[in-house]
Amino acid sequence: MKRAPCSIALLALLVSCDTATPAPPPVTPASTSTPFKSTVTVKQLMDEVLEPAANVYWESVGSVSDARGTREIAPKTDSQWIAVRNAATVVAESGNLMMLDG
């Protein structure tokens, strides 16, 4: 007897689940008003949140050429990599913050 691929087994498992639970409410479009309000202006958000995080992200990797030669810049420790990842997350999520009312 041949074994069914994992996707078929997963589908069978999902079909056998209880379907009596109500469907989740529909997702509201981004254009509708949300209960969240911004506490800073877009300029403040850019100056105080987005730009510093972007600088950490963009300056984390590169090369410098001078009289001593060329040296590569890159995160070397786990904590340096975590700082770069955190800065990238701030940059990515700042777009959502800029869409808040206010």
Side-chain angles (χ1 to χ4, degrees):
M1 182 170 137
K2 293 183 179 179
R3 294 204 295 175
C6 290
S7 59
I8 293 175
L10 180 59
L11 179 62
L13 180 65
L14 291 175
V15 169
S16 67
C17 291
D18 181 20
T19 58
T21 56
V27 177
T28 57
S31 62
T32 61
S33 182
T34 65
F36 306 108
K37 299 289 181 192
S38 180
T39 57
V40 298
T41 66
V42 172
K43 181 172 179 8
Q44 287 174 308
L45 182 66
M46 295 290 286
D47 290 344
E48 300 169 13
V49 177
L50 186 56
E51 186 177 357
N55 287 339
V56 169
Y57 179 75
W58 288 114
E59 295 170 2
S60 64
V61 177
S63 59
V64 176
S65 297
D66 56 18
R68 295 182 292 172
T70 301
R71 63 184 192 280
E72 299 296 321
I73 299 169
K76 293 174 181 54
T77 65
D78 286 345
S79 62
Q80 290 173 335
W81 278 108
I82 289 170
V84 172
R85 184 187 67 211
N86 291 346
T89 301
V90 169
V91 170
E93 288 300 324
S94 291
N96 292 328
L97 292 174
M98 287 189 275
M99 289 191 290
L100 291 176
D101 292 338

